[in-house]
Amino acid sequence: MKYIDEFRDGELAQKLSHEIEALAEPGRQVKIMEVCGGHTHAIYKHGVEQLVPDEVDFVHGPGCPVCVIPMGRVDDAIALAERPEVTFTTFGDMMRVPGGRGSLLEAKARGADVRMVYSPLDALELARRNPDREIVFFAIGFETTAPATALTLLRARAEGVRNFSAFCNHVTIGPPLRAILDSPGLRLDAFIAPGHVSTVIGTRPYDFIVEEYGKPVVVTAFEPLDILQAVVMLLRQLRDGRCEVENQYT
Amino acid sequence: MTCSDEAIPARVVEVDGPNATVEVEGKRECVGIELVEPVEPGDTLLCHAGIALEKL
């Protein structure tokens, strides 16, 4: 991928790390929630936690659609998958997620027709090729994934494909953030908001976080330098007493 | 993968109706481009779950 080395440059990371150290106030703990699971992954993969001082804590947020799906929805998916006329399609990472009655992988082992797809468009292709089967797509994900489901349904309708349906479990990022902000005893100072979700929804849906709850937000991309720069931007806001939605995403 | 809702930038090699062949790290894939049309070879698209979400 182009520019990947630039966004993982060790020298620049050290520079940002020193800047964060200079901005951190000794004895004042700053808790920053990275909303998206992609950021959590990047923080651990690249050891970003080791590049910030003890005064800065990352708090891992709710933004993993696989982790946040209620168990009952997995049970419903299994019930659909076990119907004899159904071919049930799902992203690979949902296969092992347990519901109350095991996982889709276990249902497959018992004989259910469960297939892994990379895109709902692949599920639609299965429907075109198998007109005698009911193809159901397990639609999960935040705003980044919902457009793929929507586009697939539009194509299915336009083509008159009647044996394709989506079991919709899409979620939006606003309500879980509000639920977190409303929780009693909350100790969070700022938010790293998800970059790719924001390419779909923009930055305005985060305005309530600064306006109603007074917490700074920086929309951030997924490389280690992006995350470190976001921490710098958030610490500057806190130092200056500002509270804004800023965009770091390049 | 849906986990983390991350999208990937990919370069367009060929356009065929509502689909484009894109290249990511030497691998080719087909993505739906209705949301970002018009698209030309050489464009870079942000792709997730088999569709292009944004033109970069």
Side-chain angles (χ1 to χ4, degrees):
Chain A
M1 209 185 298
K2 218 173 162 183
Y3 303 128
I4 202 137
D5 294 336
E6 286 85 338
F7 281 90
R8 293 180 184 175
D9 185 311
E11 275 180 34
L12 277 176
Q14 283 301 336
K15 230 170 114 181
L16 285 166
S17 175
H18 292 318
E19 210 173 334
I20 292 167
E21 257 172 54
L23 282 162
E25 286 175 42
R28 186 192 170 191
Q29 213 61 27
V30 176
K31 290 184 179 291
I32 298 175
M33 173 173 278
E34 84 280 0
V35 173
C36 179
H39 287 137
T40 308
H41 185 74
I43 286 167
Y44 282 113
K45 184 177 170 192
H46 300 288
V48 177
E49 278 187 319
Q50 276 81 58
L51 291 171
V52 299
D54 291 344
E55 283 79 9
V56 176
D57 286 327
F58 290 110
V59 180
H60 313 311
C64 168
V66 175
C67 306
V68 301
I69 195 159
M71 281 171 100
R73 295 300 183 101
V74 177
D75 294 336
D76 294 345
I78 290 169
L80 285 169
E82 286 178 334
R83 290 170 73 136
E85 74 278 19
V86 167
T87 295
F88 195 81
T89 58
T90 176
F91 291 124
D93 42 13
M94 280 310 296
M95 291 286 273
R96 290 172 191 275
V97 177
R101 316 173 35 223
S103 67
L104 281 163
L105 196 63
E106 286 159 348
K108 186 179 169 72
R110 286 194 300 270
D113 186 0
V114 180
R115 318 256 184 111
M116 200 182 90
V117 291
Y118 289 105
S119 164
L121 290 171
D122 297 339
L124 180 60
E125 180 58 20
L126 261 181
R128 289 192 198 101
R129 287 197 199 157
N130 299 278
D132 56 327
R133 302 284 297 163
E134 281 296 326
I135 312 297
V136 181
F137 174 64
F138 197 6
I140 72 153
F142 283 92
E143 288 90 338
T144 328
T145 320
T149 304
L151 194 90
T152 306
L153 289 170
L154 285 174
R155 280 197 190 183
R157 177 182 283 178
E159 293 174 27
V161 179
R162 311 277 308 172
N163 61 324
F164 175 78
S165 51
F167 174 37
C168 184
N169 295 279
H170 284 297
V171 282
T172 56
I173 195 64
L177 289 179
R178 191 178 281 280
I180 287 167
L181 286 159
D182 282 337
S183 52
L186 176 82
R187 286 194 53 235
L188 278 180
D189 299 289
F191 287 88
I192 289 177
H196 294 147
V197 162
S198 306
T199 62
V200 176
I201 63 172
T203 59
R204 249 179 295 166
Y206 308 118
D207 285 350
F208 77 94
I209 302 175
V210 299
E211 286 165 7
E212 295 176 40
Y213 296 91
K215 311 280 184 195
V217 176
V218 173
V219 173
T220 308
F222 294 90
E223 292 299 329
L225 289 189
D226 295 316
I227 296 169
L228 288 170
Q229 192 184 15
V231 173
V232 169
M233 290 166 77
L234 288 169
L235 291 178
R236 279 191 193 141
Q237 283 203 43
L238 291 168
R239 179 199 62 190
D240 301 343
R242 286 182 293 124
C243 184
E244 297 165 15
V245 178
E246 290 184 303
N247 189 5
Q248 179 281 332
Y249 191 35
T250 39
Chain B
M1 288 284 277
T2 42
C3 193
S4 82
D5 262 295
E6 264 194 79
I8 292 170
R11 198 174 52 82
V12 176
V13 180
E14 198 180 352
V15 178
D16 178 17
N19 297 306
T21 303
V22 295
E23 200 172 84
V24 190
E25 293 172 1
K27 277 178 263 168
R28 292 194 171 191
E29 268 180 55
C30 177
V31 296
I33 53 170
E34 287 102 317
L35 301 179
V36 294
E37 282 176 314
V39 167
E40 286 176 20
D43 286 348
T44 300
L45 305 177
L46 192 65
C47 301
H48 182 66
I51 67 148
L53 287 173
E54 189 66 84
K55 208 188 288 186
L56 299 177

